[in-house]
Amino acid sequence: MKKAMCAGIDVGATYVKIGLVSSGGKIVRKTQIPSKIHAPAAEMLGRTAETIRQMMTEDGYELAGIGIGTAGQVDVDKGILHEAPNMPDWKEVPVGDILGGHLDMPVVLDNDANVAAWGEYAFGAGRGTRFMLMVTLGTGVGGGMVLDGRPYRGITNAAGEFGHSTLDMDGWVCGCGRRGCVEAYVGTQGFKRQVAEKLKAGRTSLLTRIDPEVLMPVDISRAADEGDALAVEVFRDTGVYLGHAIADVVNLLNLERVVIGGGVAKAGERILGPARETVHAICLRVPSNAVEIVPAQLGNDAGIIGAAWMAGCLRQDE
Amino acid sequence: MKKAMCAGIDVGATYVKIGLVSSGGKIVRKTQIPSKIHAPAAEMLGRTAETIRQMMTEDGYELAGIGIGTAGQVDVDKGILHEAPNMPDWKEVPVGDILGGHLDMPVVLDNDANVAAWGEYAFGAGRGTRFMLMVTLGTGVGGGMVLDGRPYRGITNAAGEFGHSTLDMDGWVCGCGRRGCVEAYVGTQGFKRQVAEKLKAGRTSLLTRIDPEVLMPVDISRAADEGDALAVEVFRDTGVYLGHAIADVVNLLNLERVVIGGGVAKAGERILGPARETVHAICLRVPSNAVEIVPAQLGNDAGIIGAAWMAGCLRQDE
């Protein structure tokens, strides 16, 4: 008898990541293909289906389910990708119908930040909890939630916009057009501005060597590793900003765990430590006592594993 | 055959409100007795039970269920009131056991802000929704939520602390000890400070006649009715503050409806109008389109009706 595998797919603006996931939540094989976002989405979905079919055949597996996460606004019930800011040519794409048609199987679609949260919930840092927020730190700041043991999506599947919580009504301008959002402080643009403001104040730093326009969080990380005080301070301030925004959510939702993931989260305790201290310093006592702030565990695999989990063919008890 | 009625009880620091509620959610009879918060809680619960028994007997009703809401931290599963800031002598009170013992029936206990939210959800301004936040504006600012059609309580039943969302990390000091909470701006103390800051800036107003220490929102309301520009502005600013905090929750939870209640909400559209405009101006498009901001409908009865509903003996379809 062939062994059953679940396909988990994570569509980003550059690559489509595709994995075969065992019923116990382990990725047994994975690959990635270019997204080619200016070609029709149907073409990308066709290549994705072909890739999955090849992987299944080569290894002699049987397909048990398919889950797919994409950036942007999606309709979970209908399996449609409405639109995604980073993939502007793809609009109103019937992802479920197209991919499911190729592979002759129903497909579950959701937003990528949600799918990463489901992955961490089911097999990563959120395991064993019933009330969890995952915060994804990258170019932008995303969020996904599991509330009362169930993936939380809201009335029109748009829930989780943690990145646009207000830190300061009159604060820095955010990409969304409003002021003082957490993303304006701790997204990639936020890091640039944090560094620029400190340099403008006359501080010295290894970061003066880097063109502020192309400065990335990884440069700040390197400078911090070399003992640069300004760089260390930027991560600490980032943790404090993040802690304020997390505290609001913890007060509101009385969460059990907050999982911090995404590329920037690689700065680890430099951000997490101050975030944790801030949350426990400013949250009300009861919700503060109930929550822990932890790093994500699955890294870039969270999307693949979460997508496979969402398809309903994994078991958490293995 | 006797007609079945559900008892709904709303315990505040001054009065215990008691109502008999029909299965269709109508209060058929209500009364209130003094809370006497410095006497033992068991004494208050004894008087409450006696009052319910009398009301049932006089009108020839049969008791179908009992729900009770109290201020403070409660354990819903065990029916215990842990503590309540405004009733400091009552700690670790087994409310469910005591009251249920008197009336020989299980009792459901929850926090009063939650219970008011359940009332509006089942029979008031939240009717027909599945994703709802109720904001209660009074001395403090409370919140209660129904998410995905279910009362939301969080991991340790402490959810709903909407009043302590940050508007400004460096803002006005709140009663909770941190800075810039929404309650610091739009709770009773917040109103006093709003007025004081405007007067300090040299503005003229009818409110200069009132001792700032005893100034209440109702005084601002009267001044606004008389056309006082500063008073009108205070309500508008209150709506804007509130709108910022609501926008964060709407972005995070993708709600269908936000219900504004509590004594201060009597200022009506003076607050609600600017709150609504602010939410729609600063929320992301999809969650903004999905949500409406409406006034509460049940007034002081929300607690009684919500408590009765929580006991499981009402039907929403009558």
Side-chain angles (χ1 to χ4, degrees), chain A residues 83 131 145 150 152 155-161 165-167 169 178 248 251-254 282 284-285, chain B residues 83 131 145 150 152 155-161 165-167 169 178 248 251-254 282 284-285:
Chain A
E83 57 174 340
F131 295 84
M145 286 171 288
R150 304 191 303 179
Y152 183 83
I155 185 70
T156 53
N157 203 50
E161 290 292 355
S165 303
T166 307
L167 288 178
M169 288 180 297
R178 61 186 283 212
D248 283 1
N251 276 337
L252 186 75
L253 295 178
N254 188 199
I282 66 182
L284 299 175
R285 188 178 53 84
Chain B
E83 56 175 341
F131 296 84
M145 284 170 290
R150 304 191 305 179
Y152 183 84
I155 185 70
T156 52
N157 202 50
E161 290 292 357
S165 304
T166 307
L167 289 179
M169 289 180 297
R178 62 187 282 213
D248 283 1
N251 275 339
L252 186 75
L253 296 178
N254 188 200
I282 65 182
L284 298 175
R285 188 179 54 85

Side-chain angles (χ1 to χ4, degrees), chain B:
Chain B
M1 203 180 81
K2 284 181 177 179
K3 191 160 186 200
M5 287 290 156
C6 205
I9 307 158
D10 184 1
V11 181
T14 314
Y15 290 109
V16 179
K17 290 180 223 149
I18 303 166
L20 300 184
V21 185
S22 74
S23 63
K26 294 267 177 292
I27 296 181
V28 296
R29 189 170 164 178
K30 67 178 171 178
T31 189
Q32 58 187 29
I33 61 174
S35 305
K36 297 185 182 166
I37 57 171
H38 300 298
E43 195 264 337
M44 174 275 289
L45 292 167
R47 285 184 291 120
T48 300
E50 189 48 42
T51 305
I52 292 172
R53 214 187 329 252
Q54 270 181 23
M55 290 164 82
M56 302 300 293
T57 311
E58 284 172 23
D59 289 348
Y61 294 131
E62 189 176 33
L63 195 58
I66 311 165
I68 178 167
T70 76
Q73 292 287 341
V74 303
D75 183 323
V76 173
D77 293 333
K78 296 185 180 152
I80 292 173
L81 167 63
H82 289 311
E83 56 175 341
N86 297 327
M87 309 182 295
D89 291 343
W90 295 353
K91 282 195 202 300
E92 304 305 326
V93 182
V95 172
D97 285 351
I98 296 176
L99 190 63
H102 283 300
L103 293 166
D104 202 22
M105 184 171 285
V107 167
V108 185
L109 169 73
D110 205 339
N111 164 275
D112 59 352
N114 280 351
V115 170
W118 315 156
E120 290 288 344
Y121 166 70
F123 294 99
R127 203 163 179 160
T129 64
R130 282 174 54 231
F131 296 84
M132 184 197 101
L133 166 70
M134 177 162 175
V135 175
T136 308
L137 299 177
T139 309
V141 176
M145 284 170 290
V146 172
L147 300 181
D148 220 352
R150 304 191 305 179
Y152 183 84
R153 295 183 169 102
I155 185 70
T156 52
N157 202 50
E161 290 292 357
F162 169 80
H164 301 282
S165 304
T166 307
L167 289 179
D168 179 352
M169 289 180 297
D170 305 312
W172 295 353
V173 172
C174 181
C176 77
R178 62 187 282 213
R179 280 184 176 276
C181 299
V182 61
E183 183 169 303
Y185 291 80
V186 310
T188 300
Q189 291 304 322
F191 276 102
K192 286 182 186 171
R193 179 143 181 192
Q194 283 194 57
V195 171
E197 297 275 324
K198 286 182 196 294
L199 291 178
K200 219 161 57 184
R203 300 278 303 274
T204 56
S205 164
L206 297 170
L207 295 171
T208 49
R209 294 179 308 201
I210 299 167
D211 175 1
E213 279 310 300
V214 300
L215 179 83
M216 293 295 287
V218 67
D219 300 313
I220 307 173
S221 244
R222 278 198 207 105
D225 288 343
E226 293 177 47
D228 187 75
L230 186 145
V232 169
E233 202 178 292
V234 165
F235 284 128
R236 197 195 61 211
D237 289 357
T238 295
V240 173
Y241 290 135
L242 210 50
H244 271 87
I246 291 171
D248 283 1
V249 181
V250 169
N251 275 339
L252 186 75
L253 296 178
N254 188 200
L255 301 169
E256 205 171 350
R257 207 169 290 170
V258 178
V259 176
I260 316 278
V264 176
K266 286 180 194 140
E269 284 299 313
R270 279 191 183 123
I271 292 177
L272 252 67
R276 203 179 281 124
E277 278 167 34
T278 304
V279 169
H280 292 305
I282 65 182
C283 263
L284 298 175
R285 188 179 54 85
V286 177
S288 175
N289 288 345
V291 75
E292 49 181 355
I293 320 285
V294 301
Q297 289 177 356
L298 302 180
N300 288 330
D301 291 342
I304 289 175
I305 293 173
W309 177 79
M310 183 172 72
C313 48
L314 307 189
R315 290 192 297 276
Q316 280 166 262
D317 53 1
E318 284 201 1

Side-chain angles (χ1 to χ4, degrees), chain A residues 58-96:
Chain A
E58 285 172 22
D59 290 349
Y61 295 130
E62 187 176 35
L63 195 58
I66 311 163
I68 178 166
T70 77
Q73 293 286 341
V74 304
D75 183 324
V76 173
D77 293 332
K78 296 183 183 155
I80 292 174
L81 167 63
H82 289 313
E83 57 174 340
N86 297 326
M87 307 181 297
D89 292 343
W90 296 352
K91 284 195 200 303
E92 304 305 328
V93 181
V95 172

Side-chain angles (χ1 to χ4, degrees), chain A residues 16-162:
Chain A
V16 179
K17 291 178 219 149
I18 303 166
L20 300 184
V21 185
S22 74
S23 63
K26 295 267 177 290
I27 296 180
V28 295
R29 187 168 167 181
K30 66 178 172 179
T31 188
Q32 58 187 30
I33 60 175
S35 304
K36 298 187 183 166
I37 58 171
H38 300 298
E43 194 266 336
M44 175 276 289
L45 292 167
R47 284 185 291 121
T48 300
E50 190 46 42
T51 305
I52 291 171
R53 214 188 328 255
Q54 271 180 22
M55 291 164 81
M56 302 300 293
T57 311
E58 285 172 22
D59 290 349
Y61 295 130
E62 187 176 35
L63 195 58
I66 311 163
I68 178 166
T70 77
Q73 293 286 341
V74 304
D75 183 324
V76 173
D77 293 332
K78 296 183 183 155
I80 292 174
L81 167 63
H82 289 313
E83 57 174 340
N86 297 326
M87 307 181 297
D89 292 343
W90 296 352
K91 284 195 200 303
E92 304 305 328
V93 181
V95 172
D97 285 350
I98 297 176
L99 189 62
H102 283 301
L103 293 166
D104 202 22
M105 185 170 285
V107 167
V108 184
L109 169 73
D110 205 340
N111 164 275
D112 59 353
N114 280 352
V115 170
W118 316 157
E120 289 288 345
Y121 166 70
F123 293 99
R127 202 162 180 161
T129 64
R130 283 174 54 231
F131 295 84
M132 183 198 102
L133 165 70
M134 175 159 177
V135 174
T136 308
L137 298 177
T139 309
V141 177
M145 286 171 288
V146 172
L147 300 181
D148 219 352
R150 304 191 303 179
Y152 183 83
R153 296 182 169 101
I155 185 70
T156 53
N157 203 50
E161 290 292 355
F162 169 80

